[in-house]
Amino acid sequence: MKNIVSTTKRIFVTSENGVQMNISTSPNLDPMLKSQIDQSIDIPSKKELIVPSTIELDIFKKEVKSIFIETSADVFVISHDDGLYTIGSTTHIPLHKLSNKYVVISMEPYSSWKSQLAVTATVDNTTISITFKMKSNLPLNIEGNTYYNGGVFNLSLNRYETYQIAHDTDLTGTFIESSAPIAAFSGNDCNKLENIGACDHLIEQLPPTDSVDSIYIVPPNANNRGTLVRITSIESSNTTFVIGNVTQSLFLNKLDHFDVRISSNQTCFITSDQPNLVTSFGLAPINSTMGDPSMTIVPGFNQYLSFYKIVVPSGYDFDYVSIMIKHSFKDSFRINGTVIKTADIVFEEDVTAGNLTFNVRTIQVPAGELTAYTVDEEKFGLMFAGVSYSKAYGFSGNILLL
């Protein structure tokens, strides 16, 4: 998706036991650009790909800028868009897990920057309907027509075709529906949150609405960065969240959202009677330049896995993983085959959820290939974050129901 500066666009692919990978693009893509992307590769363990910056989307324009990755066995894929003082990262969703209903998450733009969403089709003749929900009912002009809050924009895309929309207001709650499975993304081209720090590119591939959860633990961000937790309802829901010793309940109408803030030494435990989508927005620190806004969709309890193999991007001052695991299994957790060193733990808290107690830890890790697992195959949640001067990234290990 669009960024405000020229960026290096990386794709990281990791495999548990080695795979063959084929990367392809639309036959209608510019041949020069296509020749720089299409390839077949053997991956023993991990691979970093750099794709041309011209693959970035333009707004309000049908293009053929999606990239199709196919491998001989399961892999984990993230994209990482890194520019001068701005980063955007997201975990990618396998094709067979895509669906036809999505809810957009973004933030109210600061200054002249934009909120944005993008879609791409997996099969020809896919019809897509986008019903706008706008924080401010500002006119949105698309192809000669004007849309307001509640307006519906319809389009049709063939396989590999993409379409991006940008607006001057927050589009959270905008609903996307399609006749066939599509991939959907949203965020901001760059955004400054709470009027602190500089702006960063915000982007996440959206999970289908039928793959979100109703139980979440949100860990804090390190380096004295606050966290804005956004709870977005898929259907009308009764939701409870717990921060420390304080419990609050709220009712959310369909496609509405609620924001709550936690500090760098707090967690947020969320339950609801209907599935909600929970997003963690890392904030810039108040008294430091180490970090800026970041956007990460939070994994729910029923999305936890027992094994992850992921690349931690290089080039940042501090990189972290946060784990959310049942307390009784905390000592079975391993990173790269070793027990966690106390000196590497920058945050730890136990969170009681009903009859269960979870251990939440944030651990500083080095860049490079990272394998996380439990020796007894107990499932746990995993979130990644990294910071450098005036920029930050974040992504999750998994955001789909199993």
Side-chain angles (χ1 to χ4, degrees):
M1 291 174 66
K2 181 176 174 57
N3 202 322
I4 64 165
V5 298
S6 178
T7 58
T8 301
K9 301 184 183 304
R10 293 181 170 88
I11 300 171
F12 295 99
V13 181
T14 46
S15 162
E16 183 176 356
N17 297 309
V19 294
Q20 293 179 320
M21 179 173 67
N22 183 66
I23 302 174
S24 59
T25 50
S26 170
N28 299 317
L29 187 65
D30 175 82
M32 184 66 70
L33 182 55
K34 183 175 175 63
S35 67
Q36 298 177 65
I37 300 173
D38 290 10
Q39 56 187 303
S40 295
I41 310 169
D42 287 331
I43 303 179
S45 183
K46 65 179 175 68
K47 182 67 177 179
E48 176 185 341
L49 307 164
I50 298 179
V51 297
S53 60
T54 47
I55 202 71
E56 185 174 292
L57 301 184
D58 293 323
I59 59 173
F60 309 127
K61 184 178 179 181
K62 279 189 184 181
E63 301 174 286
V64 285
K65 288 186 173 178
S66 61
I67 298 172
F68 183 58
I69 296 175
E70 190 171 20
T71 55
S72 58
D74 289 346
V75 293
F76 187 85
V77 181
I78 63 169
S79 62
H80 193 74
D81 192 23
D82 189 350
L84 184 63
Y85 307 134
T86 173
I87 323 169
S89 295
T90 185
T91 302
H92 287 288
I93 296 172
L95 189 70
H96 71 279
K97 289 288 190 178
L98 298 179
S99 190
N100 62 348
K101 293 180 181 179
Y102 297 88
V103 174
V104 167
I105 307 294
S106 62
M107 292 296 283
E108 183 70 4
Y110 182 89
S111 185
S112 60
W113 299 313
K114 308 287 185 182
S115 61
Q116 54 189 17
L117 66 93
V119 291
T120 184
T122 62
V123 297
D124 289 345
N125 301 312
T126 299
T127 58
I128 302 171
S129 173
I130 301 173
T131 303
F132 293 111
K133 188 176 180 68
M134 304 175 183
K135 181 175 181 180
S136 299
N137 192 21
L138 302 174
L140 176 60
N141 298 309
I142 307 176
E143 300 177 6
N145 296 307
T146 302
Y147 299 86
Y148 291 91
N149 186 49
V152 181
F153 173 62
N154 296 299
L155 73 158
S156 178
L157 296 179
N158 289 324
R159 188 183 187 206
Y160 292 115
E161 283 191 323
T162 56
Y163 199 89
Q164 180 172 267
I165 291 170
H167 199 17
D168 297 320
T169 190
D170 186 4
L171 292 172
T172 295
T174 292
F175 186 68
I176 302 171
E177 189 168 14
S178 59
S179 61
I182 61 172
F185 300 76
S186 69
N188 295 70
D189 57 2
C190 207
N191 212 8
K192 179 177 178 176
L193 303 180
E194 295 193 351
N195 200 27
I196 305 170
C199 80
D200 257 42
H201 185 46
L202 304 179
I203 177 174
E204 281 284 64
Q205 181 169 0
L206 298 169
T209 58
D210 58 3
S211 288
V212 300
D213 207 353
S214 57
I215 306 173
Y216 295 87
I217 297 173
V218 186
N221 281 283
N223 296 97
N224 203 31
R225 298 172 67 215
T227 301
L228 186 69
V229 181
R230 172 159 291 186
I231 306 167
T232 306
S233 62
I234 306 300
E235 301 290 341
S236 296
S237 65
N238 293 290
T239 298
T240 299
F241 61 91
V242 181
I243 302 171
N245 296 320
V246 178
T247 300
Q248 296 187 52
S249 297
L250 64 142
F251 176 78
L252 288 173
N253 288 311
K254 182 177 181 178
L255 302 179
D256 278 355
H257 68 272
F258 181 84
D259 294 341
V260 60
R261 196 184 193 280
I262 59 175
S263 70
S264 59
N265 59 5
Q266 293 177 311
T267 60
C268 182
F269 172 64
I270 302 166
T271 59
S272 58
D273 61 3
Q274 296 290 331
N276 286 332
L277 184 57
V278 175
T279 313
S280 169
F281 290 92
L283 305 174
I286 296 175
N287 298 316
S288 168
T289 56
M290 192 56 62
D292 255 340
S294 60
M295 176 183 184
T296 310
I297 291 179
V298 181
F301 174 73
N302 296 295
Q303 299 167 335
Y304 292 177
L305 303 175
S306 60
F307 178 89
Y308 304 81
K309 187 176 183 180
I310 297 173
V311 171
V312 177
S314 61
Y316 303 96
D317 290 281
F318 302 97
D319 298 282
Y320 305 97
V321 293
S322 292
I323 64 167
M324 299 79 80
I325 190 170
K326 291 178 184 176
H327 188 274
S328 55
F329 293 93
K330 61 172 287 191
D331 293 333
S332 73
F333 178 73
R334 303 287 187 271
I335 289 181
N336 295 335
T338 63
V339 176
I340 305 306
K341 298 176 182 177
T342 302
D344 293 332
I345 300 173
V346 299
F347 170 83
E348 184 169 13
E349 182 178 66
D350 292 335
V351 178
T352 300
N355 296 323
L356 294 174
T357 298
F358 286 84
N359 177 258
V360 182
R361 278 174 288 177
T362 298
I363 303 157
Q364 187 171 351
V365 294
E369 190 174 290
L370 181 144
T371 301
Y373 63 93
T374 48
V375 295
D376 45 23
E377 298 186 349
E378 176 66 21
K379 295 176 180 178
F380 58 95
L382 199 66
M383 294 176 65
F384 290 76
V387 295
S388 226
Y389 175 75
S390 290
K391 57 184 180 181
Y393 72 82
F395 59 88
S396 289
N398 181 52
I399 54 171
L400 297 170
L401 289 179
L402 304 181

